[in-house]
Amino acid sequence: MKLTQMWLHQLEMPLVAPFTTSFGTSQTKHTYVVELRAETSAGPVTGWGECVAMEAPLYSAEYLHGAAEVTRRWIAPALFDQPHLSAESVAHHLDHLIGHPMAKAAVEMAVLDAQLRAAQTSFADYLGVTASTVPSGVSVGIHDDVPSLLRAVGGYVEAGYARIKLKIKPGADTEPVAAVRAEFGDELPFQVDANAAYTLVDANHLQRLDEHNLLLIEQPLGEDDLRQHAELASLMRTPMCLDESIHSVKAAADAIALRAASVVNIKPGRVGGYLQARAIHDVCRAHGLAVWCGGMLETGIGRAANAALAGLPGFTLTGDISGADRFYAEDIVTEPMRMHDGVVDVPTGPGFGVEVDRDLLARFTTDVLTLTPEHT
Ligand code: NPG
């Protein structure tokens, strides 16, 4: 295909309830959605992607406005220059640009959607996914008090979610975890996520989580603490899962070699796109590590793509792919993702299989950046 135009729709979407992690509380999702137009052998086509960078560099080094800027100045021009662009060649054309995986992922995602729409192929078919549904887990933020946490978890259990993930941080860990276990019993599939809030000095304290029969503990230590995660993993019975540390297939290979993790959370946005995400899945599967699909409060576009990815056979653990209503009263797609019976459906339509609702998109849009070959 030949790219002809790109728009970055900057959005602010209110959350149904504040979401608190170890790095802060969000009330609003800030993102941009990439819309691109391309000429293909099947005629002009439109593709959609989205950027998972947060407004501030609190989860990773990237932040939303920086991602938009690097896209405007370097990513878009490099791709407008290509006479024969494909989703599979995007990473190659952007390889000289160091870092910025979330910015790159958003654009690769839109190219992939456009390519699949032109070929009338679904993302699931492209991946070779045959599952029609995937289990749906939910991520629960840090609560101010245990009763309100138990009410929130109770609501999700009642709704039928297949697994609960609880955010933890120093001072909000063993007590809420013990309370959830006591209230909902040993059978509840239950895991925790620290978002890099601890250091190895906390090893003795973190060992106390072992008695709660957790599925895993996610990213207790810093992004670049691979060796220290390996040490902590050897001190804990709870399986060690990495998220922030796994920003590429090479990082996954290093984590495996160092025995820093036995489980990997794959977030396509964090690792530079869905193709790199599939490569990480393949490497983990070949080494016998379980993977699951993480979430970054995606709109309906990313949610649909994640559901297809999570249908790959190595995704043996339940992902953070909840119904859109977990976070949003209104999504930007015509058919928001719905959790039913503990699962979400793998979309079957061309591309990621969702249609953006232009009215809803406009409702949440604060600004639009238009990029053309002439502009760059
Ligand atoms: O279901 O989309 C979801 C949210 C899952 O907790 C979740 N995501 O660290 O995994 C995480 C966390 C996150 C969200 C991190 C947004 C960064 C940004």
Side-chain angles (χ1 to χ4, degrees):
M1 70 176 75
K2 174 91 183 96
L3 277 193
T4 53
Q5 208 161 359
M6 198 186 294
W7 297 266
L8 307 186
H9 302 268
Q10 326 259 349
L11 308 183
E12 286 183 18
M13 299 170 68
L15 302 183
V16 290
F19 184 58
T20 300
T21 65
S22 62
F23 51 78
T25 299
S26 309
Q27 317 243 21
T28 308
K29 161 83 171 176
H30 295 253
T31 186
Y32 62 79
V33 159
V34 178
E35 175 184 5
L36 60 78
R37 204 139 303 157
E39 288 300 331
T40 72
S41 51
V45 66
T46 297
W48 296 88
E50 73 177 271
C51 184
V52 300
M54 297 182 65
E55 207 194 357
L58 300 175
Y59 166 83
S60 69
E62 281 185 281
Y63 66 100
L64 199 61
H65 281 94
E69 178 67 356
V70 84
T71 302
R72 182 181 75 80
R73 291 185 63 181
W74 292 288
I75 293 176
L79 300 184
F80 279 131
D81 266 357
Q82 305 309 321
H84 304 293
L85 185 67
S86 64
E88 295 78 9
S89 66
V90 169
H92 167 75
H93 296 307
L94 302 181
D95 199 38
H96 63 293
L97 301 171
I98 296 168
H100 301 283
M102 294 177 177
K104 291 174 178 174
V107 174
E108 185 197 85
M109 190 179 175
V111 173
L112 180 57
D113 186 44
Q115 179 172 311
L116 294 174
R117 283 171 189 267
Q120 287 293 303
T121 302
S122 70
F123 185 37
D125 280 348
Y126 172 84
L127 291 171
V129 161
T130 53
S132 56
T133 61
V134 292
S136 173
V138 64
S139 174
V140 182
I142 294 166
H143 281 64
D144 288 340
D145 56 87
V146 166
S148 72
L149 169 65
L150 296 181
R151 273 197 302 281
V153 173
Y156 296 128
V157 169
E158 182 91 347
Y161 276 104
R163 172 285 259 152
I164 301 288
K165 153 169 149 179
L166 178 63
K167 295 287 186 180
I168 58 168
K169 67 175 181 184
D173 45 29
T174 47
E175 190 196 348
V177 166
V180 170
R181 257 295 170 244
E183 180 79 10
F184 300 99
D186 268 347
E187 296 306 306
L188 179 76
F190 182 32
Q191 64 193 53
V192 293
D193 181 7
N195 285 114
Y198 297 87
T199 71
L200 200 49
V201 171
D202 301 308
N204 283 343
H205 178 71
L206 291 169
Q207 279 173 329
R208 293 175 53 199
L209 292 171
D210 281 343
E211 69 191 75
H212 300 296
N213 191 24
L214 298 170
L215 291 169
L216 55 88
I217 177 168
E218 185 180 353
Q219 195 75 36
L221 311 180
E223 179 179 317
D224 53 5
D225 287 343
L226 273 190
R227 185 188 55 74
Q228 297 190 28
H229 272 107
E231 203 165 320
L232 183 60
S234 74
L235 297 171
M236 291 185 72
R237 277 201 319 275
T238 307
M240 190 61 59
C241 170
L242 289 176
D243 171 10
E244 283 90 329
S245 295
I246 308 299
H247 43 76
S248 66
V249 71
K250 285 185 196 168
D254 286 350
I256 295 167
L258 284 168
R259 299 186 184 279
S262 51
V263 181
V264 170
N265 166 342
I266 300 183
K267 287 180 181 160
R270 188 193 68 228
V271 303
Y274 283 85
L275 304 183
Q276 186 83 191
R278 179 179 56 183
I280 293 175
H281 158 274
D282 294 348
V283 128
C284 288
R285 186 161 187 244
H287 284 83
L289 272 74
V291 304
W292 55 281
C293 183
M296 303 274 287
L297 283 72
E298 284 87 349
T299 74
I301 305 168
R303 226 163 263 279
N306 286 351
L309 181 75
L312 285 172
F315 284 83
T316 52
L317 296 174
T318 301
D320 281 339
I321 312 172
S322 47
D325 62 357
R326 154 70 184 93
F327 291 108
Y328 304 110
E330 284 177 310
D331 200 344
I332 56 166
V333 294
T334 54
E335 286 185 40
M337 181 152 283
R338 232 172 31 82
M339 187 279 289
H340 61 92
D341 310 310
V343 299
V344 291
D345 295 337
V346 173
T348 55
F352 299 128
V354 285
E355 299 306 323
V356 170
D357 180 319
R358 295 268 177 193
D359 291 336
L360 286 168
L361 184 72
R363 183 171 318 164
F364 300 121
T365 299
T366 55
D367 200 6
V368 183
L369 194 59
T370 303
L371 306 175
T372 61
E374 299 74 45
H375 256 93
T376 59

Short mmCIF file of all heavy atoms in Angstrom, two decimals, residues 19-21 23 26 29 52-54 58-60 102 137-141 163 165-167 193-195 218-219 243-244 265 267 270 292-298 303 306 319-323 326-328, ligand 1:
data_model
loop_
_atom_site.label_atom_id
_atom_site.label_comp_id
_atom_site.label_asym_id
_atom_site.label_seq_id
_atom_site.Cartn_x
_atom_site.Cartn_y
_atom_site.Cartn_z
N PHE A 19 -9.45 5.12 38.65
CA PHE A 19 -8.65 3.89 38.61
C PHE A 19 -7.29 4.20 39.24
O PHE A 19 -6.54 5.03 38.71
CB PHE A 19 -8.51 3.43 37.15
CG PHE A 19 -7.78 2.13 36.98
CD1 PHE A 19 -8.24 0.97 37.59
CD2 PHE A 19 -6.65 2.05 36.17
CE1 PHE A 19 -7.57 -0.24 37.41
CE2 PHE A 19 -5.98 0.85 35.97
CZ PHE A 19 -6.44 -0.30 36.60
N THR A 20 -6.99 3.54 40.37
CA THR A 20 -5.74 3.84 41.10
C THR A 20 -4.75 2.69 41.01
O THR A 20 -5.10 1.54 41.27
CB THR A 20 -6.05 4.14 42.59
OG1 THR A 20 -6.92 5.27 42.64
CG2 THR A 20 -4.78 4.46 43.37
N THR A 21 -3.53 3.04 40.60
CA THR A 21 -2.44 2.07 40.57
C THR A 21 -1.36 2.59 41.50
O THR A 21 -1.51 3.67 42.08
CB THR A 21 -1.86 1.97 39.14
OG1 THR A 21 -1.27 3.23 38.82
CG2 THR A 21 -2.92 1.63 38.12
N PHE A 23 1.19 4.03 40.71
CA PHE A 23 1.77 5.29 40.23
C PHE A 23 0.77 6.44 40.13
O PHE A 23 1.13 7.53 39.70
CB PHE A 23 2.54 5.10 38.91
CG PHE A 23 1.78 4.39 37.82
CD1 PHE A 23 0.83 5.06 37.07
CD2 PHE A 23 2.03 3.06 37.55
CE1 PHE A 23 0.14 4.42 36.05
CE2 PHE A 23 1.33 2.40 36.53
CZ PHE A 23 0.39 3.07 35.79
N SER A 26 -6.27 7.77 37.85
CA SER A 26 -6.81 8.40 36.63
C SER A 26 -8.31 8.48 36.72
O SER A 26 -8.96 7.55 37.18
CB SER A 26 -6.55 7.56 35.38
OG SER A 26 -5.30 7.18 35.24
N LYS A 29 -9.32 8.88 30.50
CA LYS A 29 -8.36 8.24 29.60
C LYS A 29 -7.95 9.26 28.53
O LYS A 29 -8.79 9.81 27.83
CB LYS A 29 -9.04 7.04 28.93
CG LYS A 29 -8.37 6.53 27.67
CD LYS A 29 -7.23 5.61 27.95
CE LYS A 29 -6.74 4.96 26.66
NZ LYS A 29 -5.56 4.13 26.89
N VAL A 52 -1.25 3.68 23.32
CA VAL A 52 -1.49 3.36 24.73
C VAL A 52 -0.64 4.17 25.69
O VAL A 52 -0.74 3.99 26.91
CB VAL A 52 -1.29 1.85 25.03
CG1 VAL A 52 -2.24 1.00 24.21
CG2 VAL A 52 0.16 1.44 24.80
N ALA A 53 0.20 5.09 25.17
CA ALA A 53 1.02 5.90 26.08
C ALA A 53 0.10 6.69 27.01
O ALA A 53 -0.96 7.16 26.61
CB ALA A 53 1.92 6.85 25.30
N MET A 54 0.56 6.84 28.24
CA MET A 54 -0.22 7.61 29.20
C MET A 54 0.13 9.09 29.07
O MET A 54 1.11 9.46 28.44
CB MET A 54 0.08 7.15 30.62
CG MET A 54 -0.32 5.72 30.85
SD MET A 54 0.01 5.26 32.55
CE MET A 54 -1.15 6.32 33.40
N LEU A 58 4.74 7.84 33.69
CA LEU A 58 4.70 7.22 35.02
C LEU A 58 4.75 5.70 34.94
O LEU A 58 5.21 5.04 35.87
CB LEU A 58 3.43 7.64 35.76
CG LEU A 58 3.26 9.14 35.98
CD1 LEU A 58 1.91 9.44 36.60
CD2 LEU A 58 4.40 9.67 36.84
N TYR A 59 4.25 5.15 33.84
CA TYR A 59 4.26 3.69 33.65
C TYR A 59 5.51 3.29 32.87
O TYR A 59 6.15 2.29 33.19
CB TYR A 59 2.99 3.27 32.92
CG TYR A 59 3.02 1.87 32.37
CD1 TYR A 59 2.72 0.78 33.20
CD2 TYR A 59 3.35 1.62 31.04
CE1 TYR A 59 2.76 -0.52 32.70
CE2 TYR A 59 3.38 0.35 30.54
CZ TYR A 59 3.09 -0.73 31.37
OH TYR A 59 3.13 -2.00 30.86
N SER A 60 5.83 4.08 31.84
CA SER A 60 7.05 3.87 31.06
C SER A 60 7.54 5.24 30.62
O SER A 60 6.88 6.25 30.88
CB SER A 60 6.77 2.98 29.84
OG SER A 60 5.96 3.68 28.92
N MET A 102 5.48 2.62 21.84
CA MET A 102 4.03 2.87 21.85
C MET A 102 3.61 3.72 20.65
O MET A 102 2.55 3.50 20.05
CB MET A 102 3.61 3.55 23.17
CG MET A 102 3.80 2.63 24.37
SD MET A 102 3.40 3.45 25.92
CE MET A 102 3.64 2.08 27.07
N GLY A 137 -10.64 -11.30 32.01
CA GLY A 137 -10.28 -10.95 33.38
C GLY A 137 -10.48 -9.46 33.60
O GLY A 137 -10.65 -8.69 32.65
N VAL A 138 -10.43 -9.06 34.86
CA VAL A 138 -10.63 -7.66 35.17
C VAL A 138 -9.56 -7.19 36.14
O VAL A 138 -9.12 -7.95 37.01
CB VAL A 138 -12.06 -7.41 35.72
CG1 VAL A 138 -12.29 -8.12 37.05
CG2 VAL A 138 -12.37 -5.92 35.85
N SER A 139 -9.12 -5.95 35.94
CA SER A 139 -8.09 -5.35 36.79
C SER A 139 -8.78 -4.40 37.76
O SER A 139 -9.54 -3.52 37.36
CB SER A 139 -7.10 -4.59 35.90
OG SER A 139 -6.18 -3.89 36.68
N VAL A 140 -8.52 -4.59 39.05
CA VAL A 140 -9.17 -3.79 40.10
C VAL A 140 -8.13 -2.87 40.71
O VAL A 140 -7.06 -3.31 41.14
CB VAL A 140 -9.77 -4.72 41.19
CG1 VAL A 140 -10.49 -3.90 42.25
CG2 VAL A 140 -10.71 -5.74 40.56
N GLY A 141 -8.44 -1.59 40.77
CA GLY A 141 -7.50 -0.60 41.29
C GLY A 141 -7.38 -0.67 42.81
O GLY A 141 -8.11 -1.40 43.49
N ARG A 163 -11.35 -13.92 36.11
CA ARG A 163 -10.17 -13.78 36.99
C ARG A 163 -10.07 -12.35 37.46
O ARG A 163 -10.44 -11.42 36.74
CB ARG A 163 -8.97 -14.24 36.17
CG ARG A 163 -7.61 -14.09 36.66
CD ARG A 163 -7.15 -12.64 36.56
NE ARG A 163 -6.31 -12.34 35.45
CZ ARG A 163 -6.24 -11.13 34.89
NH1 ARG A 163 -7.03 -10.14 35.26
NH2 ARG A 163 -5.42 -10.91 33.90
N LYS A 165 -7.58 -9.35 38.98
CA LYS A 165 -6.22 -8.87 39.25
C LYS A 165 -6.35 -7.64 40.13
O LYS A 165 -7.14 -6.74 39.84
CB LYS A 165 -5.55 -8.53 37.92
CG LYS A 165 -4.46 -7.47 37.98
CD LYS A 165 -3.68 -7.41 36.68
CE LYS A 165 -3.16 -6.01 36.38
NZ LYS A 165 -2.39 -5.96 35.13
N LEU A 166 -5.58 -7.63 41.21
CA LEU A 166 -5.64 -6.51 42.14
C LEU A 166 -4.34 -5.73 42.10
O LEU A 166 -3.25 -6.30 42.21
CB LEU A 166 -5.89 -7.03 43.57
CG LEU A 166 -5.94 -5.96 44.67
CD1 LEU A 166 -7.09 -4.99 44.46
CD2 LEU A 166 -6.04 -6.62 46.05
N LYS A 167 -4.45 -4.42 41.96
CA LYS A 167 -3.28 -3.55 42.03
C LYS A 167 -2.82 -3.48 43.48
O LYS A 167 -3.66 -3.37 44.39
CB LYS A 167 -3.66 -2.14 41.54
CG LYS A 167 -4.05 -2.10 40.08
CD LYS A 167 -2.82 -2.26 39.24
CE LYS A 167 -3.11 -2.08 37.77
NZ LYS A 167 -1.89 -2.23 36.98
N ASP A 193 -0.72 -7.07 40.93
CA ASP A 193 0.14 -6.29 40.04
C ASP A 193 0.69 -5.09 40.82
O ASP A 193 -0.07 -4.25 41.30
CB ASP A 193 -0.69 -5.80 38.85
CG ASP A 193 0.15 -4.98 37.86
OD1 ASP A 193 1.38 -4.90 38.03
OD2 ASP A 193 -0.45 -4.43 36.91
N ALA A 194 2.03 -5.03 40.91
CA ALA A 194 2.67 -3.98 41.73
C ALA A 194 3.16 -2.79 40.90
O ALA A 194 3.59 -1.78 41.47
CB ALA A 194 3.83 -4.57 42.50
N ASN A 195 3.15 -2.91 39.57
CA ASN A 195 3.66 -1.82 38.72
C ASN A 195 4.98 -1.25 39.23
O ASN A 195 5.14 -0.03 39.39
CB ASN A 195 2.62 -0.70 38.56
CG ASN A 195 1.49 -1.07 37.62
OD1 ASN A 195 0.35 -1.20 38.04
ND2 ASN A 195 1.80 -1.28 36.36
N GLU A 218 2.81 -9.68 39.51
CA GLU A 218 3.24 -9.00 38.28
C GLU A 218 4.14 -7.81 38.63
O GLU A 218 3.78 -6.97 39.45
CB GLU A 218 1.98 -8.53 37.54
CG GLU A 218 2.25 -7.92 36.19
CD GLU A 218 0.96 -7.48 35.51
OE1 GLU A 218 -0.14 -7.76 36.02
OE2 GLU A 218 1.07 -6.81 34.46
N GLN A 219 5.29 -7.78 38.02
CA GLN A 219 6.24 -6.66 38.03
C GLN A 219 6.39 -6.01 39.41
O GLN A 219 6.12 -4.81 39.56
CB GLN A 219 5.81 -5.60 37.01
CG GLN A 219 6.90 -4.58 36.69
CD GLN A 219 8.01 -5.11 35.80
OE1 GLN A 219 7.76 -5.90 34.89
NE2 GLN A 219 9.24 -4.69 36.03
N ASP A 243 5.92 -7.42 33.23
CA ASP A 243 5.14 -6.56 32.34
C ASP A 243 6.09 -5.47 31.82
O ASP A 243 6.71 -5.62 30.76
CB ASP A 243 3.96 -5.97 33.13
CG ASP A 243 3.19 -4.89 32.38
OD1 ASP A 243 3.44 -4.70 31.17
OD2 ASP A 243 2.33 -4.22 32.98
N GLU A 244 6.29 -4.41 32.60
CA GLU A 244 7.11 -3.26 32.18
C GLU A 244 8.48 -3.67 31.63
O GLU A 244 9.00 -3.04 30.71
CB GLU A 244 7.31 -2.29 33.36
CG GLU A 244 6.12 -1.41 33.69
CD GLU A 244 5.18 -2.03 34.72
OE1 GLU A 244 5.05 -3.29 34.74
OE2 GLU A 244 4.53 -1.29 35.48
N ASN A 265 3.32 -10.91 30.76
CA ASN A 265 2.16 -10.13 30.35
C ASN A 265 2.55 -9.47 29.02
O ASN A 265 3.52 -8.70 28.98
CB ASN A 265 1.86 -9.08 31.43
CG ASN A 265 0.91 -7.98 30.97
OD1 ASN A 265 0.69 -7.79 29.78
ND2 ASN A 265 0.36 -7.24 31.91
N LYS A 267 1.67 -6.85 26.28
CA LYS A 267 0.84 -5.70 25.87
C LYS A 267 1.37 -5.25 24.53
O LYS A 267 2.51 -4.75 24.45
CB LYS A 267 0.96 -4.56 26.87
CG LYS A 267 0.26 -4.79 28.19
CD LYS A 267 0.47 -3.60 29.09
CE LYS A 267 -0.22 -3.81 30.43
NZ LYS A 267 0.36 -2.91 31.46
N ARG A 270 2.99 -1.78 24.40
CA ARG A 270 4.26 -1.63 25.12
C ARG A 270 5.44 -2.17 24.33
O ARG A 270 6.57 -1.70 24.48
CB ARG A 270 4.15 -2.37 26.46
CG ARG A 270 5.30 -2.16 27.41
CD ARG A 270 5.25 -3.17 28.55
NE ARG A 270 5.50 -4.52 28.09
CZ ARG A 270 4.78 -5.60 28.38
NH1 ARG A 270 3.73 -5.51 29.16
NH2 ARG A 270 5.08 -6.78 27.89
N TRP A 292 -0.09 -13.98 28.91
CA TRP A 292 -1.47 -13.47 28.89
C TRP A 292 -1.45 -12.07 28.34
O TRP A 292 -0.41 -11.42 28.30
CB TRP A 292 -2.11 -13.55 30.28
CG TRP A 292 -1.37 -12.88 31.39
CD1 TRP A 292 -0.28 -13.37 32.06
CD2 TRP A 292 -1.67 -11.61 31.99
NE1 TRP A 292 0.11 -12.48 33.03
CE2 TRP A 292 -0.71 -11.40 33.02
CE3 TRP A 292 -2.65 -10.64 31.76
CZ2 TRP A 292 -0.72 -10.23 33.80
CZ3 TRP A 292 -2.65 -9.50 32.54
CH2 TRP A 292 -1.69 -9.30 33.55
N CYS A 293 -2.59 -11.61 27.88
CA CYS A 293 -2.67 -10.32 27.20
C CYS A 293 -3.05 -9.24 28.21
O CYS A 293 -4.11 -9.30 28.83
CB CYS A 293 -3.71 -10.40 26.08
SG CYS A 293 -3.82 -8.87 25.14
N GLY A 294 -2.16 -8.26 28.36
CA GLY A 294 -2.44 -7.15 29.26
C GLY A 294 -3.36 -6.13 28.62
O GLY A 294 -3.68 -6.22 27.43
N GLY A 295 -3.78 -5.17 29.41
CA GLY A 295 -4.65 -4.11 28.91
C GLY A 295 -4.11 -2.76 29.33
O GLY A 295 -3.40 -2.65 30.32
N MET A 296 -4.41 -1.74 28.55
CA MET A 296 -4.00 -0.37 28.88
C MET A 296 -5.22 0.54 28.73
O MET A 296 -5.13 1.60 28.15
CB MET A 296 -2.89 0.08 27.93
CG MET A 296 -1.65 -0.81 27.93
SD MET A 296 -0.46 -0.41 29.19
CE MET A 296 0.23 1.10 28.56
N LEU A 297 -6.34 0.08 29.23
CA LEU A 297 -7.60 0.84 29.15
C LEU A 297 -7.92 1.22 27.70
O LEU A 297 -8.31 2.35 27.40
CB LEU A 297 -7.52 2.11 30.01
CG LEU A 297 -7.67 1.95 31.52
CD1 LEU A 297 -6.44 1.31 32.15
CD2 LEU A 297 -7.93 3.28 32.21
N GLU A 298 -7.74 0.27 26.80
CA GLU A 298 -7.93 0.55 25.38
C GLU A 298 -9.38 0.92 25.05
O GLU A 298 -10.32 0.49 25.72
CB GLU A 298 -7.55 -0.68 24.54
CG GLU A 298 -6.07 -0.92 24.38
CD GLU A 298 -5.45 -1.75 25.50
OE1 GLU A 298 -6.13 -1.97 26.53
OE2 GLU A 298 -4.29 -2.17 25.35
N ARG A 303 -9.18 -3.04 22.16
CA ARG A 303 -9.85 -4.15 22.86
C ARG A 303 -10.15 -5.29 21.87
O ARG A 303 -9.95 -6.46 22.18
CB ARG A 303 -11.16 -3.62 23.45
CG ARG A 303 -11.45 -4.00 24.87
CD ARG A 303 -12.52 -3.09 25.45
NE ARG A 303 -11.86 -2.04 26.18
CZ ARG A 303 -11.39 -2.17 27.42
NH1 ARG A 303 -11.57 -3.30 28.08
NH2 ARG A 303 -10.76 -1.19 28.01
N ASN A 306 -6.86 -6.96 20.85
CA ASN A 306 -6.33 -7.78 21.93
C ASN A 306 -7.08 -9.10 22.04
O ASN A 306 -6.49 -10.14 22.34
CB ASN A 306 -6.42 -7.03 23.27
CG ASN A 306 -5.39 -5.92 23.36
OD1 ASN A 306 -4.51 -5.80 22.53
ND2 ASN A 306 -5.52 -5.09 24.39
N GLY A 319 -6.50 -12.93 30.32
CA GLY A 319 -5.96 -11.58 30.12
C GLY A 319 -6.82 -10.49 30.73
O GLY A 319 -7.94 -10.73 31.20
N ASP A 320 -6.27 -9.26 30.69
CA ASP A 320 -7.02 -8.07 31.11
C ASP A 320 -7.83 -7.56 29.92
O ASP A 320 -7.59 -6.45 29.42
CB ASP A 320 -6.05 -6.95 31.55
CG ASP A 320 -5.50 -7.17 32.96
OD1 ASP A 320 -6.12 -7.92 33.73
OD2 ASP A 320 -4.46 -6.57 33.28
N ILE A 321 -8.74 -8.38 29.44
CA ILE A 321 -9.59 -7.93 28.32
C ILE A 321 -11.02 -7.96 28.84
O ILE A 321 -11.73 -8.95 28.71
CB ILE A 321 -9.44 -8.84 27.08
CG1 ILE A 321 -7.96 -9.09 26.77
CG2 ILE A 321 -10.14 -8.21 25.88
CD1 ILE A 321 -7.74 -10.13 25.69
N SER A 322 -11.37 -6.86 29.49
CA SER A 322 -12.71 -6.80 30.09
C SER A 322 -13.69 -6.19 29.10
O SER A 322 -13.29 -5.70 28.04
CB SER A 322 -12.64 -5.97 31.37
OG SER A 322 -11.94 -4.78 31.14
N GLY A 323 -14.96 -6.23 29.46
CA GLY A 323 -15.95 -5.52 28.66
C GLY A 323 -15.65 -4.03 28.70
O GLY A 323 -15.08 -3.53 29.68
N ARG A 326 -16.41 -1.85 31.75
CA ARG A 326 -15.56 -1.83 32.96
C ARG A 326 -14.96 -0.42 33.15
O ARG A 326 -14.75 0.03 34.26
CB ARG A 326 -14.45 -2.89 32.82
CG ARG A 326 -13.16 -2.65 33.60
CD ARG A 326 -13.37 -2.81 35.10
NE ARG A 326 -12.20 -2.50 35.92
CZ ARG A 326 -11.93 -1.32 36.46
NH1 ARG A 326 -12.72 -0.28 36.25
NH2 ARG A 326 -10.88 -1.15 37.23
N PHE A 327 -14.66 0.25 32.00
CA PHE A 327 -14.02 1.56 32.09
C PHE A 327 -14.88 2.70 31.53
O PHE A 327 -14.74 3.84 31.96
CB PHE A 327 -12.67 1.56 31.36
CG PHE A 327 -11.62 0.72 32.05
CD1 PHE A 327 -11.20 -0.48 31.51
CD2 PHE A 327 -11.08 1.13 33.27
CE1 PHE A 327 -10.25 -1.26 32.17
CE2 PHE A 327 -10.14 0.36 33.93
CZ PHE A 327 -9.72 -0.83 33.38
N TYR A 328 -15.72 2.41 30.52
CA TYR A 328 -16.36 3.50 29.78
C TYR A 328 -17.88 3.34 29.72
O TYR A 328 -18.38 2.25 29.43
CB TYR A 328 -15.83 3.53 28.33
CG TYR A 328 -14.32 3.66 28.29
CD1 TYR A 328 -13.52 2.59 27.87
CD2 TYR A 328 -13.70 4.82 28.73
CE1 TYR A 328 -12.14 2.69 27.87
CE2 TYR A 328 -12.32 4.93 28.73
CZ TYR A 328 -11.54 3.86 28.30
OH TYR A 328 -10.18 3.97 28.32
O1 NPG B 1 -8.08 -3.68 31.70
O2 NPG B 1 -7.21 -2.29 30.31
C1 NPG B 1 -7.31 -2.79 31.42
C2 NPG B 1 -6.40 -2.27 32.50
C3 NPG B 1 -5.45 -3.29 32.99
O3 NPG B 1 -4.44 -2.76 35.06
C4 NPG B 1 -4.39 -2.67 33.85
N1 NPG B 1 -3.43 -2.02 33.23
O4 NPG B 1 -0.18 -1.95 34.62
O5 NPG B 1 -1.29 -3.45 33.60
C5 NPG B 1 -1.19 -2.31 34.03
C6 NPG B 1 -2.35 -1.35 33.90
C7 NPG B 1 -2.06 -0.08 33.14
C8 NPG B 1 -3.08 0.64 32.63
C9 NPG B 1 -0.81 0.39 32.96
C10 NPG B 1 -2.87 1.82 31.92
C11 NPG B 1 -0.59 1.56 32.27
C12 NPG B 1 -1.63 2.27 31.75
#
